[in-house]
Amino acid sequence: PDSINLITTTRPGDRLPIFFDISTATEPQYIAYGAIECKYDSVTVYSSSSALDSIASVYTINQDVRDVKDTLKITTKLKPIANAKVVPSEVELAIYPDIMIEATAMVPVQTNNVPERSVLRVFPSHVQVQYIVGASQYNRIDMNEFMVVADYENTDKGTSKHCPIRLIKAPKEVRSPLLVVSQVDYLIEQ
């Protein structure tokens, strides 16, 4: 070659966040917990001032990771940016799957919309909730985060035989929470 074209800059590099362009799927009976982990939360990008002003973030190359059942560490390249240098140019990512287990919890039934001077008593006072959770999260589930409600307005002012109940809150770590029974017997005391 009769010439070499080099781009140089005296501007220090800018730290920019990394975004992952990765889709993951675990094998059946497994679930991925938490975000994809990366040693770096940002990389340094070197370029001219005008180019750096137009760059807000850096992305990994697109990857499709399937059938994950064990901790997976992958090294992935970052998408090149025209007229810029990214350091480092690749990052190591970690995905942590967890085997799913079925669990149950006995949850108290709370009452709602009960008129003053009245008490809505439900039988049974606790109902069973079934759910799926990762094995590593099982002992971390706070049973107080489940909430089951019997609404007075669903008793037709005491004329219906049973009161429907609803699961209105569950811990964020659980999947597919389900009430074992959908209604309870009740008694209205004045």
Side-chain angles (χ1 to χ4, degrees):
D2 60 351
S3 64
I4 296 176
N5 193 10
L6 297 175
I7 299 173
T8 62
T9 182
T10 57
R11 179 177 172 168
D14 284 1
R15 297 292 293 173
L16 298 176
I18 303 171
F19 290 99
F20 310 124
D21 189 8
I22 296 175
S23 61
T24 61
T26 59
E27 281 195 359
Q29 297 298 315
Y30 287 84
I31 189 168
Y33 264 107
I36 295 173
E37 285 188 9
C38 181
K39 181 178 177 180
Y40 305 103
D41 64 346
S42 59
V43 291
T44 305
V45 179
Y46 298 95
S47 188
S48 66
S49 293
S50 60
L52 274 177
D53 291 342
S54 66
I55 303 169
S57 57
V58 177
Y59 289 85
T60 62
I61 61 169
N62 180 278
Q63 285 192 296
D64 190 23
V65 181
R66 298 281 173 233
D67 301 325
V68 179
K69 67 177 182 178
D70 283 323
T71 297
L72 178 65
K73 293 191 177 194
I74 56 173
T75 300
T76 184
K77 293 188 180 299
L78 299 173
K79 286 184 181 173
I81 300 172
N83 299 320
K85 180 175 182 168
V86 179
V87 178
S89 61
E90 60 185 28
V91 292
E92 185 175 280
L93 307 176
I95 302 166
Y96 299 101
D98 199 3
I99 191 159
M100 293 187 297
I101 58 172
E102 187 173 300
T104 60
M106 288 302 288
V107 179
V109 179
Q110 299 180 18
T111 59
N112 198 11
N113 295 321
V114 181
E116 285 186 41
R117 300 185 192 151
S118 294
V119 176
L120 176 63
R121 300 216 187 272
V122 295
F123 307 98
S125 62
H126 289 70
V127 292
Q128 192 174 52
V129 176
Q130 292 178 334
Y131 58 93
I132 297 171
V133 66
S136 67
Q137 300 292 311
Y138 178 76
N139 290 328
R140 296 181 186 154
I141 299 297
D142 181 359
M143 297 304 166
N144 294 322
E145 290 187 42
F146 287 101
M147 184 181 286
V148 176
V149 173
D151 195 327
Y152 176 83
E153 293 178 4
N154 291 333
T155 66
D156 294 327
K157 297 183 179 161
T159 60
S160 65
K161 190 173 182 180
H162 303 287
C163 180
I165 57 175
R166 292 180 311 143
L167 176 66
I168 61 170
K169 191 173 128 187
K172 67 179 191 279
E173 298 87 1
V174 306
R175 303 281 192 266
S176 306
L178 177 69
L179 287 167
V180 173
V181 296
S182 62
Q183 57 188 9
V184 291
D185 294 333
Y186 68 93
L187 176 67
I188 299 173
E189 296 177 354
Q190 302 290 335

PDB file of all heavy atoms in Angstrom, residues 135-164:
ATOM      1  N   ALA A 135     -35.066 -24.194  43.443  1.00  0.00           N
ATOM      2  CA  ALA A 135     -34.619 -24.851  44.676  1.00  0.00           C
ATOM      3  C   ALA A 135     -33.776 -23.916  45.542  1.00  0.00           C
ATOM      4  O   ALA A 135     -33.888 -23.937  46.770  1.00  0.00           O
ATOM      5  CB  ALA A 135     -33.844 -26.121  44.347  1.00  0.00           C
ATOM      6  N   SER A 136     -32.960 -23.092  44.935  1.00  0.00           N
ATOM      7  CA  SER A 136     -32.104 -22.199  45.722  1.00  0.00           C
ATOM      8  C   SER A 136     -32.902 -21.075  46.385  1.00  0.00           C
ATOM      9  O   SER A 136     -32.427 -20.454  47.322  1.00  0.00           O
ATOM     10  CB  SER A 136     -31.003 -21.594  44.850  1.00  0.00           C
ATOM     11  OG  SER A 136     -31.562 -20.719  43.901  1.00  0.00           O
ATOM     12  N   GLN A 137     -34.103 -20.826  45.906  1.00  0.00           N
ATOM     13  CA  GLN A 137     -34.939 -19.756  46.463  1.00  0.00           C
ATOM     14  C   GLN A 137     -35.939 -20.271  47.498  1.00  0.00           C
ATOM     15  O   GLN A 137     -36.574 -19.477  48.195  1.00  0.00           O
ATOM     16  CB  GLN A 137     -35.716 -19.064  45.335  1.00  0.00           C
ATOM     17  CG  GLN A 137     -34.846 -18.436  44.282  1.00  0.00           C
ATOM     18  CD  GLN A 137     -34.088 -17.258  44.833  1.00  0.00           C
ATOM     19  OE1 GLN A 137     -34.659 -16.386  45.469  1.00  0.00           O
ATOM     20  NE2 GLN A 137     -32.789 -17.238  44.609  1.00  0.00           N
ATOM     21  N   TYR A 138     -36.087 -21.584  47.609  1.00  0.00           N
ATOM     22  CA  TYR A 138     -37.135 -22.180  48.443  1.00  0.00           C
ATOM     23  C   TYR A 138     -37.127 -21.649  49.873  1.00  0.00           C
ATOM     24  O   TYR A 138     -38.161 -21.249  50.400  1.00  0.00           O
ATOM     25  CB  TYR A 138     -37.006 -23.708  48.434  1.00  0.00           C
ATOM     26  CG  TYR A 138     -38.019 -24.393  49.313  1.00  0.00           C
ATOM     27  CD1 TYR A 138     -39.341 -24.507  48.906  1.00  0.00           C
ATOM     28  CD2 TYR A 138     -37.663 -24.904  50.557  1.00  0.00           C
ATOM     29  CE1 TYR A 138     -40.285 -25.121  49.714  1.00  0.00           C
ATOM     30  CE2 TYR A 138     -38.592 -25.508  51.373  1.00  0.00           C
ATOM     31  CZ  TYR A 138     -39.899 -25.624  50.942  1.00  0.00           C
ATOM     32  OH  TYR A 138     -40.829 -26.218  51.752  1.00  0.00           O
ATOM     33  N   ASN A 139     -35.976 -21.648  50.531  1.00  0.00           N
ATOM     34  CA  ASN A 139     -35.916 -21.211  51.927  1.00  0.00           C
ATOM     35  C   ASN A 139     -35.972 -19.700  52.080  1.00  0.00           C
ATOM     36  O   ASN A 139     -36.039 -19.193  53.195  1.00  0.00           O
ATOM     37  CB  ASN A 139     -34.652 -21.756  52.598  1.00  0.00           C
ATOM     38  CG  ASN A 139     -34.735 -23.247  52.807  1.00  0.00           C
ATOM     39  OD1 ASN A 139     -35.811 -23.794  53.032  1.00  0.00           O
ATOM     40  ND2 ASN A 139     -33.609 -23.927  52.699  1.00  0.00           N
ATOM     41  N   ARG A 140     -35.939 -18.985  50.991  1.00  0.00           N
ATOM     42  CA  ARG A 140     -35.991 -17.519  51.052  1.00  0.00           C
ATOM     43  C   ARG A 140     -37.397 -16.962  50.880  1.00  0.00           C
ATOM     44  O   ARG A 140     -37.601 -15.757  50.957  1.00  0.00           O
ATOM     45  CB  ARG A 140     -35.087 -16.932  49.973  1.00  0.00           C
ATOM     46  CG  ARG A 140     -33.632 -17.255  50.180  1.00  0.00           C
ATOM     47  CD  ARG A 140     -32.786 -16.632  49.113  1.00  0.00           C
ATOM     48  NE  ARG A 140     -31.411 -17.080  49.256  1.00  0.00           N
ATOM     49  CZ  ARG A 140     -30.551 -17.131  48.288  1.00  0.00           C
ATOM     50  NH1 ARG A 140     -30.888 -16.751  47.077  1.00  0.00           N
ATOM     51  NH2 ARG A 140     -29.326 -17.560  48.504  1.00  0.00           N
ATOM     52  N   ILE A 141     -38.355 -17.824  50.611  1.00  0.00           N
ATOM     53  CA  ILE A 141     -39.728 -17.366  50.390  1.00  0.00           C
ATOM     54  C   ILE A 141     -40.312 -16.881  51.719  1.00  0.00           C
ATOM     55  O   ILE A 141     -40.312 -17.601  52.712  1.00  0.00           O
ATOM     56  CB  ILE A 141     -40.608 -18.493  49.807  1.00  0.00           C
ATOM     57  CG1 ILE A 141     -40.066 -18.961  48.466  1.00  0.00           C
ATOM     58  CG2 ILE A 141     -42.065 -18.054  49.691  1.00  0.00           C
ATOM     59  CD1 ILE A 141     -40.061 -17.918  47.383  1.00  0.00           C
ATOM     60  N   ASP A 142     -40.815 -15.654  51.711  1.00  0.00           N
ATOM     61  CA  ASP A 142     -41.466 -15.075  52.886  1.00  0.00           C
ATOM     62  C   ASP A 142     -42.961 -15.347  52.765  1.00  0.00           C
ATOM     63  O   ASP A 142     -43.639 -14.766  51.907  1.00  0.00           O
ATOM     64  CB  ASP A 142     -41.183 -13.573  52.947  1.00  0.00           C
ATOM     65  CG  ASP A 142     -41.806 -12.902  54.159  1.00  0.00           C
ATOM     66  OD1 ASP A 142     -42.482 -13.585  54.962  1.00  0.00           O
ATOM     67  OD2 ASP A 142     -41.617 -11.679  54.302  1.00  0.00           O
ATOM     68  N   MET A 143     -43.457 -16.240  53.605  1.00  0.00           N
ATOM     69  CA  MET A 143     -44.864 -16.639  53.528  1.00  0.00           C
ATOM     70  C   MET A 143     -45.809 -15.460  53.773  1.00  0.00           C
ATOM     71  O   MET A 143     -46.958 -15.476  53.356  1.00  0.00           O
ATOM     72  CB  MET A 143     -45.165 -17.755  54.538  1.00  0.00           C
ATOM     73  CG  MET A 143     -44.400 -19.030  54.272  1.00  0.00           C
ATOM     74  SD  MET A 143     -44.708 -19.639  52.608  1.00  0.00           S
ATOM     75  CE  MET A 143     -43.417 -20.820  52.453  1.00  0.00           C
ATOM     76  N   ASN A 144     -45.315 -14.414  54.434  1.00  0.00           N
ATOM     77  CA  ASN A 144     -46.150 -13.234  54.679  1.00  0.00           C
ATOM     78  C   ASN A 144     -46.392 -12.428  53.404  1.00  0.00           C
ATOM     79  O   ASN A 144     -47.215 -11.511  53.404  1.00  0.00           O
ATOM     80  CB  ASN A 144     -45.510 -12.340  55.743  1.00  0.00           C
ATOM     81  CG  ASN A 144     -45.468 -13.022  57.091  1.00  0.00           C
ATOM     82  OD1 ASN A 144     -46.404 -13.724  57.459  1.00  0.00           O
ATOM     83  ND2 ASN A 144     -44.370 -12.850  57.806  1.00  0.00           N
ATOM     84  N   GLU A 145     -45.674 -12.744  52.334  1.00  0.00           N
ATOM     85  CA  GLU A 145     -45.891 -12.034  51.075  1.00  0.00           C
ATOM     86  C   GLU A 145     -47.066 -12.603  50.273  1.00  0.00           C
ATOM     87  O   GLU A 145     -47.482 -12.012  49.287  1.00  0.00           O
ATOM     88  CB  GLU A 145     -44.619 -12.053  50.235  1.00  0.00           C
ATOM     89  CG  GLU A 145     -43.516 -11.187  50.813  1.00  0.00           C
ATOM     90  CD  GLU A 145     -42.329 -11.075  49.883  1.00  0.00           C
ATOM     91  OE1 GLU A 145     -42.538 -10.910  48.664  1.00  0.00           O
ATOM     92  OE2 GLU A 145     -41.197 -11.168  50.378  1.00  0.00           O
ATOM     93  N   PHE A 146     -47.572 -13.763  50.677  1.00  0.00           N
ATOM     94  CA  PHE A 146     -48.796 -14.278  50.052  1.00  0.00           C
ATOM     95  C   PHE A 146     -49.982 -13.568  50.685  1.00  0.00           C
ATOM     96  O   PHE A 146     -50.004 -13.326  51.897  1.00  0.00           O
ATOM     97  CB  PHE A 146     -48.952 -15.791  50.303  1.00  0.00           C
ATOM     98  CG  PHE A 146     -48.020 -16.657  49.520  1.00  0.00           C
ATOM     99  CD1 PHE A 146     -46.882 -17.184  50.103  1.00  0.00           C
ATOM    100  CD2 PHE A 146     -48.281 -16.965  48.196  1.00  0.00           C
ATOM    101  CE1 PHE A 146     -46.020 -17.995  49.394  1.00  0.00           C
ATOM    102  CE2 PHE A 146     -47.430 -17.775  47.474  1.00  0.00           C
ATOM    103  CZ  PHE A 146     -46.291 -18.297  48.077  1.00  0.00           C
ATOM    104  N   MET A 147     -50.986 -13.254  49.872  1.00  0.00           N
ATOM    105  CA  MET A 147     -52.195 -12.650  50.424  1.00  0.00           C
ATOM    106  C   MET A 147     -53.412 -13.246  49.711  1.00  0.00           C
ATOM    107  O   MET A 147     -53.530 -13.169  48.487  1.00  0.00           O
ATOM    108  CB  MET A 147     -52.201 -11.133  50.257  1.00  0.00           C
ATOM    109  CG  MET A 147     -53.416 -10.487  50.919  1.00  0.00           C
ATOM    110  SD  MET A 147     -53.465  -8.690  50.727  1.00  0.00           S
ATOM    111  CE  MET A 147     -52.190  -8.213  51.856  1.00  0.00           C
ATOM    112  N   VAL A 148     -54.285 -13.837  50.518  1.00  0.00           N
ATOM    113  CA  VAL A 148     -55.539 -14.408  50.026  1.00  0.00           C
ATOM    114  C   VAL A 148     -56.671 -13.619  50.665  1.00  0.00           C
ATOM    115  O   VAL A 148     -56.659 -13.371  51.870  1.00  0.00           O
ATOM    116  CB  VAL A 148     -55.641 -15.906  50.380  1.00  0.00           C
ATOM    117  CG1 VAL A 148     -56.989 -16.465  49.951  1.00  0.00           C
ATOM    118  CG2 VAL A 148     -54.502 -16.683  49.740  1.00  0.00           C
ATOM    119  N   VAL A 149     -57.664 -13.240  49.844  1.00  0.00           N
ATOM    120  CA  VAL A 149     -58.746 -12.375  50.327  1.00  0.00           C
ATOM    121  C   VAL A 149     -60.109 -12.988  50.028  1.00  0.00           C
ATOM    122  O   VAL A 149     -60.349 -13.503  48.929  1.00  0.00           O
ATOM    123  CB  VAL A 149     -58.641 -10.973  49.674  1.00  0.00           C
ATOM    124  CG1 VAL A 149     -59.847 -10.127  50.017  1.00  0.00           C
ATOM    125  CG2 VAL A 149     -57.372 -10.277  50.113  1.00  0.00           C
ATOM    126  N   ALA A 150     -60.989 -12.897  51.041  1.00  0.00           N
ATOM    127  CA  ALA A 150     -62.413 -13.198  50.880  1.00  0.00           C
ATOM    128  C   ALA A 150     -63.131 -11.852  50.967  1.00  0.00           C
ATOM    129  O   ALA A 150     -63.007 -11.141  51.963  1.00  0.00           O
ATOM    130  CB  ALA A 150     -62.900 -14.136  51.973  1.00  0.00           C
ATOM    131  N   ASP A 151     -63.871 -11.506  49.926  1.00  0.00           N
ATOM    132  CA  ASP A 151     -64.525 -10.203  49.858  1.00  0.00           C
ATOM    133  C   ASP A 151     -65.990 -10.331  50.274  1.00  0.00           C
ATOM    134  O   ASP A 151     -66.744 -11.120  49.691  1.00  0.00           O
ATOM    135  CB  ASP A 151     -64.416  -9.658  48.433  1.00  0.00           C
ATOM    136  CG  ASP A 151     -64.739  -8.182  48.345  1.00  0.00           C
ATOM    137  OD1 ASP A 151     -65.597  -7.697  49.113  1.00  0.00           O
ATOM    138  OD2 ASP A 151     -64.122  -7.505  47.495  1.00  0.00           O
ATOM    139  N   TYR A 152     -66.386  -9.537  51.258  1.00  0.00           N
ATOM    140  CA  TYR A 152     -67.774  -9.549  51.746  1.00  0.00           C
ATOM    141  C   TYR A 152     -68.765  -9.327  50.612  1.00  0.00           C
ATOM    142  O   TYR A 152     -69.842  -9.926  50.585  1.00  0.00           O
ATOM    143  CB  TYR A 152     -67.944  -8.477  52.829  1.00  0.00           C
ATOM    144  CG  TYR A 152     -69.366  -8.333  53.328  1.00  0.00           C
ATOM    145  CD1 TYR A 152     -69.857  -9.175  54.312  1.00  0.00           C
ATOM    146  CD2 TYR A 152     -70.214  -7.358  52.804  1.00  0.00           C
ATOM    147  CE1 TYR A 152     -71.159  -9.061  54.769  1.00  0.00           C
ATOM    148  CE2 TYR A 152     -71.517  -7.233  53.246  1.00  0.00           C
ATOM    149  CZ  TYR A 152     -71.986  -8.089  54.229  1.00  0.00           C
ATOM    150  OH  TYR A 152     -73.282  -7.976  54.669  1.00  0.00           O
ATOM    151  N   GLU A 153     -68.420  -8.479  49.665  1.00  0.00           N
ATOM    152  CA  GLU A 153     -69.336  -8.172  48.561  1.00  0.00           C
ATOM    153  C   GLU A 153     -69.613  -9.383  47.681  1.00  0.00           C
ATOM    154  O   GLU A 153     -70.605  -9.418  46.956  1.00  0.00           O
ATOM    155  CB  GLU A 153     -68.786  -7.007  47.738  1.00  0.00           C
ATOM    156  CG  GLU A 153     -68.791  -5.712  48.538  1.00  0.00           C
ATOM    157  CD  GLU A 153     -68.221  -4.534  47.780  1.00  0.00           C
ATOM    158  OE1 GLU A 153     -67.874  -4.688  46.596  1.00  0.00           O
ATOM    159  OE2 GLU A 153     -68.121  -3.460  48.388  1.00  0.00           O
ATOM    160  N   ASN A 154     -68.764 -10.402  47.743  1.00  0.00           N
ATOM    161  CA  ASN A 154     -68.996 -11.625  46.962  1.00  0.00           C
ATOM    162  C   ASN A 154     -69.889 -12.628  47.680  1.00  0.00           C
ATOM    163  O   ASN A 154     -70.135 -13.713  47.172  1.00  0.00           O
ATOM    164  CB  ASN A 154     -67.659 -12.290  46.612  1.00  0.00           C
ATOM    165  CG  ASN A 154     -66.862 -11.467  45.619  1.00  0.00           C
ATOM    166  OD1 ASN A 154     -67.418 -10.716  44.827  1.00  0.00           O
ATOM    167  ND2 ASN A 154     -65.558 -11.585  45.681  1.00  0.00           N
ATOM    168  N   THR A 155     -70.389 -12.271  48.884  1.00  0.00           N
ATOM    169  CA  THR A 155     -71.297 -13.162  49.617  1.00  0.00           C
ATOM    170  C   THR A 155     -72.757 -12.842  49.321  1.00  0.00           C
ATOM    171  O   THR A 155     -73.642 -13.483  49.863  1.00  0.00           O
ATOM    172  CB  THR A 155     -71.067 -13.032  51.148  1.00  0.00           C
ATOM    173  OG1 THR A 155     -71.452 -11.715  51.555  1.00  0.00           O
ATOM    174  CG2 THR A 155     -69.627 -13.322  51.521  1.00  0.00           C
ATOM    175  N   ASP A 156     -72.990 -11.857  48.475  1.00  0.00           N
ATOM    176  CA  ASP A 156     -74.355 -11.390  48.195  1.00  0.00           C
ATOM    177  C   ASP A 156     -75.079 -11.050  49.500  1.00  0.00           C
ATOM    178  O   ASP A 156     -76.214 -11.453  49.735  1.00  0.00           O
ATOM    179  CB  ASP A 156     -75.154 -12.417  47.388  1.00  0.00           C
ATOM    180  CG  ASP A 156     -74.600 -12.615  46.000  1.00  0.00           C
ATOM    181  OD1 ASP A 156     -74.074 -11.633  45.428  1.00  0.00           O
ATOM    182  OD2 ASP A 156     -74.664 -13.750  45.479  1.00  0.00           O
ATOM    183  N   LYS A 157     -74.353 -10.333  50.378  1.00  0.00           N
ATOM    184  CA  LYS A 157     -74.857  -9.885  51.691  1.00  0.00           C
ATOM    185  C   LYS A 157     -75.338 -11.056  52.545  1.00  0.00           C
ATOM    186  O   LYS A 157     -76.337 -10.965  53.246  1.00  0.00           O
ATOM    187  CB  LYS A 157     -75.945  -8.842  51.514  1.00  0.00           C
ATOM    188  CG  LYS A 157     -75.412  -7.597  50.840  1.00  0.00           C
ATOM    189  CD  LYS A 157     -76.445  -6.527  50.713  1.00  0.00           C
ATOM    190  CE  LYS A 157     -75.765  -5.346  50.048  1.00  0.00           C
ATOM    191  NZ  LYS A 157     -76.605  -4.400  49.453  1.00  0.00           N
ATOM    192  N   GLY A 158     -74.635 -12.163  52.427  1.00  0.00           N
ATOM    193  CA  GLY A 158     -74.934 -13.317  53.272  1.00  0.00           C
ATOM    194  C   GLY A 158     -75.909 -14.298  52.685  1.00  0.00           C
ATOM    195  O   GLY A 158     -76.282 -15.265  53.345  1.00  0.00           O
ATOM    196  N   THR A 159     -76.346 -14.105  51.461  1.00  0.00           N
ATOM    197  CA  THR A 159     -77.332 -15.014  50.874  1.00  0.00           C
ATOM    198  C   THR A 159     -76.687 -16.191  50.131  1.00  0.00           C
ATOM    199  O   THR A 159     -77.340 -17.204  49.930  1.00  0.00           O
ATOM    200  CB  THR A 159     -78.256 -14.255  49.896  1.00  0.00           C
ATOM    201  OG1 THR A 159     -77.462 -13.687  48.861  1.00  0.00           O
ATOM    202  CG2 THR A 159     -79.039 -13.181  50.630  1.00  0.00           C
ATOM    203  N   SER A 160     -75.446 -16.058  49.729  1.00  0.00           N
ATOM    204  CA  SER A 160     -74.806 -17.183  49.021  1.00  0.00           C
ATOM    205  C   SER A 160     -74.231 -18.159  50.046  1.00  0.00           C
ATOM    206  O   SER A 160     -73.956 -17.807  51.196  1.00  0.00           O
ATOM    207  CB  SER A 160     -73.713 -16.681  48.081  1.00  0.00           C
ATOM    208  OG  SER A 160     -72.673 -16.090  48.812  1.00  0.00           O
ATOM    209  N   LYS A 161     -74.044 -19.389  49.614  1.00  0.00           N
ATOM    210  CA  LYS A 161     -73.593 -20.441  50.515  1.00  0.00           C
ATOM    211  C   LYS A 161     -72.087 -20.381  50.760  1.00  0.00           C
ATOM    212  O   LYS A 161     -71.615 -20.688  51.845  1.00  0.00           O
ATOM    213  CB  LYS A 161     -73.980 -21.796  49.917  1.00  0.00           C
ATOM    214  CG  LYS A 161     -73.792 -22.961  50.830  1.00  0.00           C
ATOM    215  CD  LYS A 161     -74.363 -24.219  50.208  1.00  0.00           C
ATOM    216  CE  LYS A 161     -74.213 -25.377  51.172  1.00  0.00           C
ATOM    217  NZ  LYS A 161     -74.735 -26.604  50.630  1.00  0.00           N
ATOM    218  N   HIS A 162     -71.312 -19.994  49.730  1.00  0.00           N
ATOM    219  CA  HIS A 162     -69.855 -19.952  49.823  1.00  0.00           C
ATOM    220  C   HIS A 162     -69.357 -18.577  49.378  1.00  0.00           C
ATOM    221  O   HIS A 162     -70.029 -17.868  48.639  1.00  0.00           O
ATOM    222  CB  HIS A 162     -69.217 -21.017  48.925  1.00  0.00           C
ATOM    223  CG  HIS A 162     -69.671 -22.404  49.228  1.00  0.00           C
ATOM    224  ND1 HIS A 162     -69.267 -23.095  50.341  1.00  0.00           N
ATOM    225  CD2 HIS A 162     -70.510 -23.232  48.552  1.00  0.00           C
ATOM    226  CE1 HIS A 162     -69.830 -24.296  50.337  1.00  0.00           C
ATOM    227  NE2 HIS A 162     -70.601 -24.395  49.263  1.00  0.00           N
ATOM    228  N   CYS A 163     -68.157 -18.268  49.818  1.00  0.00           N
ATOM    229  CA  CYS A 163     -67.535 -17.005  49.427  1.00  0.00           C
ATOM    230  C   CYS A 163     -66.290 -17.317  48.592  1.00  0.00           C
ATOM    231  O   CYS A 163     -65.390 -18.024  49.062  1.00  0.00           O
ATOM    232  CB  CYS A 163     -67.145 -16.208  50.671  1.00  0.00           C
ATOM    233  SG  CYS A 163     -66.374 -14.622  50.279  1.00  0.00           S
ATOM    234  N   PRO A 164     -66.244 -16.799  47.355  1.00  0.00           N
ATOM    235  CA  PRO A 164     -65.036 -17.018  46.555  1.00  0.00           C
ATOM    236  C   PRO A 164     -63.834 -16.312  47.187  1.00  0.00           C
ATOM    237  O   PRO A 164     -63.979 -15.270  47.830  1.00  0.00           O
ATOM    238  CB  PRO A 164     -65.366 -16.396  45.202  1.00  0.00           C
ATOM    239  CG  PRO A 164     -66.755 -15.894  45.275  1.00  0.00           C
ATOM    240  CD  PRO A 164     -67.239 -16.014  46.668  1.00  0.00           C
TER     241      PRO A 164
END
